[in-house]
Amino acid sequence: MADLFDDYPAGVAWDEMLDPATGPRAAYKHVHAALAQLSAGELRARADALARTYLTQGVTFDFAGEERPFPLDVVPRVLAGDEWEHVAPGVKQRVRALEAFLADVYGPQRVIADGVLPRSVIVSSTNYCRAARGITPPNGVRVHVSGIDLIRDSLGGWRVLEDNVRVPSGVSYVLSNRRAMAQTFPELFAALRIRPVSDYPRRLLAALTAAAPAGVDDPTVVVLTPGVYNSAYFEHSLLARTMGVELVEGRDLFCAQGRVWMRTTQGRRRVDVIYRRVDDDFLDPVTFRADSLLGSPGLMTCARNGTVTIANAVGNGVADDKLVYTYVPDLIRYYLGEEPILANVDTWRLEEPGSLEEVLDRLDELVVKPVDGSGGKGLVVGPAASRAELEALRSRLVEDPRGWIAQPVVQLSTVPTLVEDGLRPRHTDLRPFAVNDGDDIWVLPGGLTRVALPEGRLVVNSSQGGGSKDTWVLGGSPPRREAASAAVHHPVPVGNAVPIDANPQDIRAHVMQQQQSLDGRPAAPSSSDQEVGTC
Amino acid sequence: MLSRIAESLFWIGRYVERADDTARLLDVHLQILLEDPWAEEDLACRSLLSVMDRQLPASSAPIGRVEVLDVLAYDRFSPSSIAGALVSARENARRAREVISTELWESLNATWNQLPSHMRPARPHDYFTWVRERAAVVAGVVDATASRDDTWAFMVLGRSIERADMTARLLTTRALAGSGGPGWTTLLRSCGAHEAFLRTYRGTASDERAAGFLLLDRLFPRSIVFALNQAEACLTALEPVVDRASVDDARRHIGLVRTNLEYRPLIDVLDALPREMEQVQRACAAASDAVRGRYFPSALTTTWVGENL
């Protein structure tokens, strides 16, 4: 049986499992050993079991209009505890800075007055939302949930690739990947201390409840979904289910008397917090796109009046703008007075003198991204693009330098992934999720590891057919246990347990049959029936 | 109806429910052991075994998932393991073959036939899922096709008594292992109650609410009080004529423990949870005995003495 790791190529990128010189890295020792024991056939069988599980459960993602099982690779991504102690504070720091930035941009705009960031960057951002000015969130939180995309460069260093503080998705796959992996590799879970992720829904609900308008003591939280045809519908329903709240569509809501209500069988019921999975533009036809049926007319008015909290806040998109991204390290220094823990990827701002010319010269070796894109839309990887594509791109850049940024091609780190010819390195990124409840920012240990399945491909987005891996953060200290209502330990004296009853007839029949088979003669007068088989 | 047949029906109800509940309990408890790196496997497994009335191995040898699975899931010769309960359910169905519907017989028989191939899969979770599904098929067939006569009453009576008993055992696992034991969320999931609970209380879970849900909820079919109520209803259906001054023994046992749970402050019940749950189990056993004494009087066992010629 060929070893799964035979001919495993040492690529240009940082491989997270195998150091080309010394073999498996410390965090992966267990996983590597367990995989090395398996034959390719066994590993495939487990991979098939995983895929079947997802089909049964309906863990799907819409790809090109088709509902497919969300691709989960059998090889997990493992992070050592001390590595996580570097990443998590970095994510927290970034979220704190973005919160301060958003509060400032939609408030006093000191950041512009102090010259940290030019006014033009803000006002020219397509995601800057004037309707959001003057809306003050009840507990000051605008980024209730964030997903900060991280990558590791060819030296193994972490860098932030982009910020997602609008409607970051993917956490449901973190939760379901973990469950499926625990059922598929019980031996690994038994051998390693993997930090659990199941606390997420509780934390999210606590953060949403904490964000309720002032004076509401038992807030009604709902999840607002565009509907079953949305690609992330699985996630919307999972979050609503695990939080125990209603999953509503726009048509279930209406605004009246300055409040938001939902239509229930018991008449209308007040809604206090809306965890919306609908983009700003579609939220309120009165304020935004008039043709949208996904939101509810008047929602923004209620948000402005403070009778309902919309999470994440409207207008957060300005912080996701790729041009603003280039200023985030400065924002961290400005708002927090700290040095950034996680570095950005080097980025050209095309509006700065000389940089457009430089980028146009080197277009075939750079990655160019639209500033307001998400999900990898519109991104062009220079080395992989055709001449015609580059020419088209060139004219677009000249036309609208504010609309694009350029970055050097970063060789994302690789993790072994099961493909047709066995385990092969595939590029990955990591999206940790952070929940802000106003007192503290909690970072889910791990996050969503996305993996690009075609060889050498650097775009990992699910909407581009990317797969995923379960992310294991090792070690750490046990969490605070819920206090047992019976704190005393009551061992049951052996033999004091209430016996489990059985049908006495069973035992009698059993004994008789045994006697029959032992003695070879009936223990009771048997009928003269010829045995011709059972009924 | 023949007593012997009635007894078989009663036990079909009990055994299928037992397999179902044990599968739920093991599935969730083992999953927690895997997902929670701080779980104490030995302690958790010991408390599981002791609650299920099993001999504990000497404390010198640590026990783990494998041993628990062998004893509680795969042992075909013990009527209180999953496999054994399914085998026994099918045996009882064979004895009552003439009164149960072909559909019910076939679903129990198919389960018995598939048992070996489903045992010891690479993923115990698959086995548990299969057991739950088979139990659901049996329950569904009974529900959809059985006349609501004595046949049905005996089966559902067996199912309800077993359910109350097993839920009580499950709650005991919480109290046994103390703070290292399964959390209330785990217990809710064991009973398939977690999502119902979340929807009822909109995620604002507290220990007391969760305990109350599993003990007292009047609408959730796996709560102890619901199961006891259902058992009482079956007993009433079997014996509608009530003596003016006394009540049938089985109903007395069940009614007593039910009102004891329902009408005492929840906090008192929680303070002495292990003892209270033992009361429920004892009441179920006593009710089961009373049903046996009343409806299934066992025939005098005739023994044949060979003549000395």
Side-chain angles (χ1 to χ4, degrees), chain A residues 173-343:
Chain A
Y173 302 120
V174 175
L175 302 175
S176 49
N177 284 357
R178 176 59 53 87
R179 181 128 298 173
M181 284 296 278
Q183 286 163 1
T184 307
F185 290 101
E187 68 273 28
L188 279 174
F189 277 80
L192 293 169
R193 286 203 155 181
I194 303 163
R195 296 189 203 180
V197 295
S198 52
D199 213 19
Y200 184 85
R202 194 182 63 76
R203 297 260 188 180
L204 175 59
L205 184 67
L208 294 170
T209 309
V216 179
D217 52 359
D218 182 15
T220 301
V221 178
V222 299
V223 178
L224 174 63
T225 175
V228 292
Y229 299 111
N230 184 271
S231 60
Y233 179 74
F234 165 79
E235 170 150 324
H236 309 162
S237 65
L238 180 135
L239 290 175
R241 200 174 61 239
T242 49
M243 290 194 288
V245 304
E246 297 298 340
L247 179 64
V248 302
E249 294 180 20
R251 56 186 168 178
D252 301 323
L253 300 177
F254 65 97
C255 302
Q257 285 117 32
R259 295 191 169 285
V260 183
W261 308 85
M262 59 182 170
R263 302 174 213 275
T264 78
T265 51
Q266 307 281 314
R268 66 181 194 179
R269 190 158 140 223
R270 205 184 65 210
V271 173
D272 303 300
V273 183
I274 300 175
Y275 178 50
R276 47 83 175 234
R277 302 298 302 253
V278 173
D279 289 338
D280 287 2
D281 272 355
F282 297 93
L283 263 184
D284 182 352
V286 174
T287 314
F288 306 109
R289 283 184 53 166
D291 61 347
S292 170
L293 302 172
L294 301 178
S296 180
L299 217 50
M300 281 304 285
T301 314
C302 296
R304 187 178 306 281
N305 295 343
T307 56
V308 72
T309 303
I310 296 176
N312 288 359
V314 171
N316 281 5
V318 67
D320 283 357
D321 187 296
K322 299 275 194 305
L323 194 56
V324 172
Y325 158 90
T326 63
Y327 292 92
V328 172
D330 300 332
L331 298 178
I332 292 173
R333 293 183 195 103
Y334 173 70
Y335 287 114
L336 309 178
E338 300 169 8
E339 274 306 301
I341 299 172
L342 297 170

Side-chain angles (χ1 to χ4, degrees), chain B residues 168-180:
Chain B
R169 286 176 199 276
L170 179 76
L171 290 175
T172 313
T173 60
R174 162 90 187 137
L176 277 188
S179 58

Side-chain angles (χ1 to χ4, degrees), chain A residues 431-514:
Chain A
R431 176 177 290 183
F433 291 92
V435 175
N436 187 355
D437 64 7
D439 296 327
D440 184 34
I441 295 167
W442 176 75
V443 187
L444 175 80
L448 184 64
T449 291
R450 294 178 299 179
V451 51
L453 297 173
E455 188 173 359
R457 188 176 164 88
L458 291 164
V459 181
V460 296
N461 303 77
S462 308
S463 44
Q464 309 272 329
S468 74
K469 288 173 172 291
D470 193 11
T471 313
W472 295 357
V473 178
L474 302 183
S477 51
R480 189 186 54 79
R481 287 249 170 234
E482 44 179 322
S485 42
V488 206
H489 175 58
H490 314 264
V492 165
V494 177
N496 197 32
V498 182
I500 294 188
D501 208 358
N503 186 351
Q505 305 296 336
D506 292 357
I507 297 157
R508 199 167 303 161
H510 193 72
V511 170
M512 288 215 305
Q513 282 167 8
Q514 273 196 324

